[in-house]
Amino acid sequence: MNEPRIVIVGAGPAGVRAAEVLAAVGLRPVLVDENQRAGGQIYRQPPAGFVRSAKQLYGFESAKADALHHTFSQLLSHIDYRPETLVWNCDGRQLDLLDRGQQRSLPYSHLMLCTGAIDRVLPFPGWLLPGVYTLGAAQVALKAQGCVIGSRIVMVGSGPLLYLLAYQYAKAGASIAAVLDTSSFSGKLQATADLLKQPLTLAKGLYFLAWLRCHGVKVVEGVDKIAVSGEQKVKTISWHKNGREQTLECDAVASGFGLRSETQLADLAGCVFEFNQLNQQWLPQRDLAGRSSVKGVYLAGDGGGIAGADAAELAGKRAALALLEDLGKTIDPREGRRLDRALQRIQGFRRGLERAFPAPVAWARECADEEIICRCEEITAGELRRVVNHAGTVEMNRLKALTRVGMGRCQGRVCSAAAAEILACSAGKSLTEIGRLRGQPPIKPFPVVVGVALSSARETS
């Protein structure tokens, strides 16, 4: 029997744990990752030679980060690790890679997608001004570059990352002018029963909030109508609370309204999708063990549904066990059942987080016509609404064809969530009814010279 060609995409918690399980039985998976060093977003490591302690970088999670990094260092001689390598296409059981500037192809017999997540972006007035970042980008600046995004910073949006990042920034010495949370205190109270399913994690979140308040950081819950103003850069941010407008001077804003799974490669691999109410997103179908609808393709971590770093490690192990089982290797079924139970407990907590930190329900209705939704193609909310009203469009790919929304460099990774909300609201449909954008390669930008070379090669062949 030929040796299976196993490729793992993503060296975050899920990818590293999956590689660990596979290497333990003598397999040698290929681990492909865009970053210079393993760890993913949550346990992102700074560049070599850039010194900050694990405690400074990861806070309460430093022991978990150290454990994952140590595991990875022990794995290096047992896997084929390819850092700084972008996977930009998946076709015919083959991946197209941009490997440190060079185009390469990588066939596989088994594919493990641990592709992580991206911020859910909901535009507001001033969101394109210099000085406005996503929460994820602001976290990368701190962890990977050791810098902060401004001298007087406001964090705005919804989700646990809002408070975690504000705490990390403040601990690093940054000045946090305010944390503006679009979710309400009452909503968080209603979610308490589910949140108590992981009491330690809940306690950490409460600690972050208490620490910020005790250190004089302004925390406002239940805000809406956010707007950033300035000419060449951010100068102020305004918001409404109980119908009253308030304004604050600042020079940087980090915003985010939860996370969305990165599912483009699963789409190109041919996986069947279904709408997930908890994540409010179309996700590839998978069983409890991580098997997708395509034989030999597995999903683990936030790329298959947002659940956090602890769940990602468990899901990586579980999917690797499923892969081994599918190869006909003997596994301990008790370990699979243990991982399944642990993942189900985390899902309960996850339901609580969604209730505590919902995306703003009135955003699509209140977004102004002149607001740019797709920054790559400069498509406004008004243009999307006119197509819905005049052409009767009720489907996402039709909206894309008529407006070019999602056709730019980001391929809809940034704008598709907001465009879908606008379409659903304008057409009087649910997010399920309007469908999803089909994935198209390249799923992420690559240099023009690579595209030209590929085109020339195809013409020659």
Side-chain angles (χ1 to χ4, degrees):
M1 180 177 177
N2 294 330
E3 186 74 14
R5 179 73 162 178
I6 302 170
V7 178
I8 302 171
V9 180
V16 171
R17 292 305 179 193
E20 179 187 24
V21 171
L22 297 173
V25 298
L27 296 173
R28 186 178 174 83
V30 181
L31 180 53
V32 182
D33 192 51
E34 285 182 54
N35 294 318
Q36 291 181 339
R37 305 179 73 186
Q41 172 74 350
I42 186 69
Y43 301 137
R44 180 181 291 273
Q45 299 185 77
F50 188 93
V51 179
R52 288 188 75 204
S53 71
K55 195 69 179 176
Q56 288 174 312
L57 281 169
Y58 313 112
F60 289 125
E61 310 303 324
S62 59
K64 294 177 182 175
D66 279 343
L68 190 84
H69 297 155
H70 175 73
T71 296
F72 180 76
S73 67
Q74 300 299 306
L75 278 176
L76 271 174
S77 60
H78 304 283
I79 62 175
D80 180 355
Y81 174 50
R82 304 188 186 186
E84 299 183 75
T85 300
L86 168 68
V87 182
W88 62 269
N89 190 20
C90 177
D91 184 25
R93 299 190 88 78
Q94 176 172 293
L95 300 174
D96 288 317
L97 314 176
L98 187 62
D99 181 357
R100 306 184 192 204
Q102 299 296 314
Q103 162 62 26
R104 304 187 194 285
S105 295
L106 180 62
Y108 64 85
S109 63
H110 297 75
L111 178 64
M112 180 87 66
L113 295 174
C114 308
T115 45
I118 187 173
D119 290 275
R120 183 187 300 275
V121 176
L122 296 178
F124 48 81
W127 78 288
L128 293 178
L129 272 173
V132 180
Y133 299 76
T134 63
L135 292 175
Q139 193 174 48
V140 170
L142 181 64
K143 286 185 178 178
Q145 299 163 349
C147 65
V148 296
I149 60 174
S151 58
R152 184 170 169 77
I153 304 163
V154 172
M155 307 280 184
V156 62
S158 180
L161 182 57
L162 187 68
Y163 292 97
L164 171 62
L165 187 61
Y167 172 77
Q168 290 174 333
Y169 261 60
K171 287 285 285 184
S175 173
I176 304 300
V179 176
L180 306 178
D181 187 347
T182 58
S183 58
S184 66
F185 177 71
S186 61
K188 297 183 181 75
L189 276 182
Q190 292 169 14
T192 302
D194 279 333
L195 295 176
L196 281 171
K197 291 176 179 175
Q198 284 194 266
L200 184 58
T201 307
L202 174 60
K204 290 175 186 173
L206 293 174
Y207 174 82
F208 295 147
L209 175 59
W211 190 95
L212 290 167
R213 289 189 188 279
C214 287
H215 287 77
V217 175
K218 184 184 186 75
V219 178
V220 188
E221 295 170 288
V223 306
D224 59 12
K225 298 182 180 177
I226 300 156
V228 175
S229 61
E231 293 182 1
Q232 299 298 319
K233 61 180 182 178
V234 172
K235 286 190 175 177
T236 63
I237 185 168
S238 63
W239 68 93
H240 284 227
K241 166 79 174 179
N242 296 329
R244 294 182 56 191
E245 182 176 2
Q246 298 181 56
T247 302
L248 190 64
E249 291 186 355
C250 60
D251 64 1
V253 172
S255 69
F257 299 87
L259 299 173
R260 302 182 70 238
S261 299
E262 293 266 43
T263 61
Q264 298 88 351
L265 285 177
D267 197 353
L268 297 177
C271 297
V272 174
F273 278 60
E274 60 187 358
F275 191 79
N276 185 288
Q277 294 292 342
L278 179 63
N279 290 270
Q280 286 293 290
Q281 182 185 358
W282 288 86
L283 293 176
Q285 289 180 358
R286 59 173 176 167
D287 66 12
L288 286 176
R291 296 181 182 89
S292 77
S293 59
V294 177
K295 186 177 180 181
V297 178
Y298 306 81
L299 302 147
D302 283 347
I306 306 300
D310 291 348
E313 291 195 48
L314 297 171
K317 292 180 180 178
R318 186 66 187 92
L321 289 178
L323 191 158
L324 293 177
E325 193 173 21
D326 294 345
L327 287 174
K329 296 185 179 295
T330 302
I331 65 168
D332 182 354
R334 293 171 298 180
E335 178 64 1
R337 289 195 292 270
R338 183 190 72 79
L339 292 169
D340 289 343
R341 288 194 297 271
L343 285 166
Q344 286 169 357
R345 283 196 296 274
I346 291 176
Q347 277 301 304
F349 179 75
R350 170 72 184 149
R351 285 193 294 273
L353 283 181
E354 285 302 316
R355 291 183 67 189
F357 298 103
V361 293
W363 174 84
R365 186 175 66 249
E366 296 177 348
C367 183
D369 277 348
E370 62 270 21
E371 204 62 64
I372 289 180
I373 302 299
C374 172
R375 60 183 176 182
C376 300
E377 297 291 329
E378 298 186 352
I379 309 298
T380 66
E383 292 175 78
L384 299 178
R385 289 180 178 128
R386 279 193 290 277
V387 168
V388 174
N389 294 332
H390 296 163
T393 303
V394 294
E395 196 272 328
M396 273 301 291
N397 291 290
R398 184 65 178 159
L399 185 71
K400 176 181 177 180
L402 293 175
T403 65
R404 294 188 60 80
V405 68
M407 284 191 187
R409 296 178 74 243
C410 85
Q411 289 285 281
R413 293 172 63 240
V414 174
C415 64
S416 64
E421 293 279 357
I422 294 283
L423 171 56
C425 181
S426 302
K429 302 286 186 182
S430 67
L431 291 173
T432 308
E433 291 173 309
I434 64 170
R436 64 184 179 86
L437 282 182
R438 289 186 292 270
Q440 298 283 345
I443 63 168
K444 292 183 180 179
F446 59 40
V448 172
V449 66
V450 174
V452 172
L454 283 170
S455 179
S456 300
R458 285 173 182 151
E459 287 178 5
T460 301
S461 63

